[in-house]
Amino acid sequence: KAGVTQTPRYLIKTRGQQVTLSCSPISGHRSVSWYQQTPGQGLQFLFEYFSETQRNKGNFPGRFSGRQFSNSRSEMNVSTLELGDSALYLCASSLAEHSYNSPLHFGNGTRLTVT
Amino acid sequence: GEDVEQSLFLSVREGDSSVINCTYTDSSSTYLYWYKQEPGAGLQLLTYIFSNMDMKQDQRLTVLLNKKDKHLSLRIADTQTGDSAIYFCAESFLSSGSARQLTFGSGTQLTVLP
């Protein structure tokens, strides 16, 4: 069974631009979560989607948004990029709605660099 | 708020056992997880334990949970050079309504010396 697939693997953008990252979950998984990983802040929760609905959102500004499609694929968007948005963005999928009873399986991430 | 603490570095000799420790704060945590991250890669789920368990063993991995002290440990037996990576402890907690999320520790860099 294929794992979580994230595209693209690497992305370079300039300040002020916007970016869209894509995630395909493991087949049969209906929940998708996004995390940001930086050296300074570590792993921080962005949001979780289940059945095309955002179930939970972390403490990030409104410039960070996401959506989930009917086939469970998900995208996240960051508008008006800032230098501090440079990070590894990780997508994870799970079978069930709540990660506590269904572990998260992560993709290899998208490395975003903002210049 | 929820917090997960880990020591930053651990070095062991090849063939020895490694023990990575973690403390957490949320008493409502129901599952605790261990993930491994190799350079340039995402997080690989190693194992997880339900909070009503004290121990879980899976091949070379042993997880011990002391719920009273909110202490979790991961023991890797017969550590190999391929085990060199960053290990993250994570707890699942109830954040809002019925929604849960994971809080991760800062990660422990395990270095295995030949």
Side-chain angles (χ1 to χ4, degrees):
Chain A
K1 191 183 262 191
V4 177
T5 305
Q6 292 188 246
T7 56
R9 283 299 310 276
Y10 303 93
L11 210 45
I12 300 175
K13 292 285 188 180
T14 55
R15 276 180 297 176
Q17 287 187 312
Q18 75 165 24
V19 67
T20 299
L21 312 181
S22 180
C23 173
S24 293
I26 292 172
S27 177
H29 285 196
R30 296 172 63 195
S31 173
V32 173
S33 301
W34 289 88
Y35 285 77
Q36 181 197 64
Q37 186 178 28
T38 59
Q41 299 297 317
L43 282 151
Q44 293 188 289
F45 171 75
L46 280 157
F47 21 67
E48 179 186 11
Y49 288 88
F50 181 81
S51 292
E52 302 178 65
T53 301
Q54 186 180 89
R55 301 291 299 178
N56 197 7
K57 188 174 181 356
N59 190 25
F60 278 82
R63 299 185 298 106
F64 291 81
S65 63
R67 59 178 175 168
Q68 186 181 32
F69 303 95
S70 58
N71 61 359
S72 295
R73 194 177 68 83
S74 176
E75 289 180 347
M76 68 164 279
N77 184 277
V78 188
S79 62
T80 319
L81 284 165
E82 300 177 0
L83 294 178
D85 297 333
S86 294
L88 180 66
Y89 289 89
L90 292 163
C91 170
S93 72
S94 62
L95 267 175
E97 178 178 358
H98 302 312
S99 60
Y100 79 95
N101 63 358
S102 177
L104 295 184
H105 296 268
F106 284 82
N108 282 328
T110 294
R111 171 75 62 187
L112 172 64
T113 302
V114 181
T115 62
Chain B
E2 299 74 21
D3 199 15
V4 178
E5 301 280 344
Q6 296 179 243
S7 52
L8 291 180
F9 303 100
L10 176 66
S11 290
V12 299
R13 292 279 176 196
E14 192 174 11
D16 289 348
S17 292
S18 308
V19 180
I20 303 171
N21 295 300
C22 168
T23 57
Y24 61 98
T25 58
D26 184 34
S27 58
S28 70
S29 294
T30 53
Y31 278 93
L32 296 130
Y33 302 84
W34 284 103
Y35 285 90
K36 175 185 180 183
Q37 186 175 38
E38 296 181 82
L43 302 179
Q44 175 193 350
L45 176 67
L46 289 177
T47 187
Y48 57 101
I49 188 168
F50 189 52
S51 57
N52 69 353
M53 297 170 64
D54 297 323
M55 185 183 86
K56 181 179 180 181
Q57 189 153 359
D58 184 1
Q59 299 182 329
R60 292 191 298 125
L61 305 179
T62 302
V63 178
L64 294 177
L65 175 60
N66 182 327
K67 197 172 180 182
K68 174 176 167 287
D69 294 337
K70 295 181 184 169
H71 182 266
L72 182 74
S73 68
L74 174 70
R75 178 177 179 270
I76 305 172
D78 187 25
T79 313
Q80 303 298 306
T81 54
D83 294 324
S84 292
I86 301 176
Y87 290 79
F88 291 94
C89 165
E91 66 168 340
S92 174
F93 70 95
L94 192 64
S95 63
S96 62
S98 60
R100 283 184 172 263
Q101 66 187 69
L102 293 185
T103 294
F104 286 86
S106 54
T108 299
Q109 172 73 62
L110 173 64
T111 301
V112 182
L113 306 170

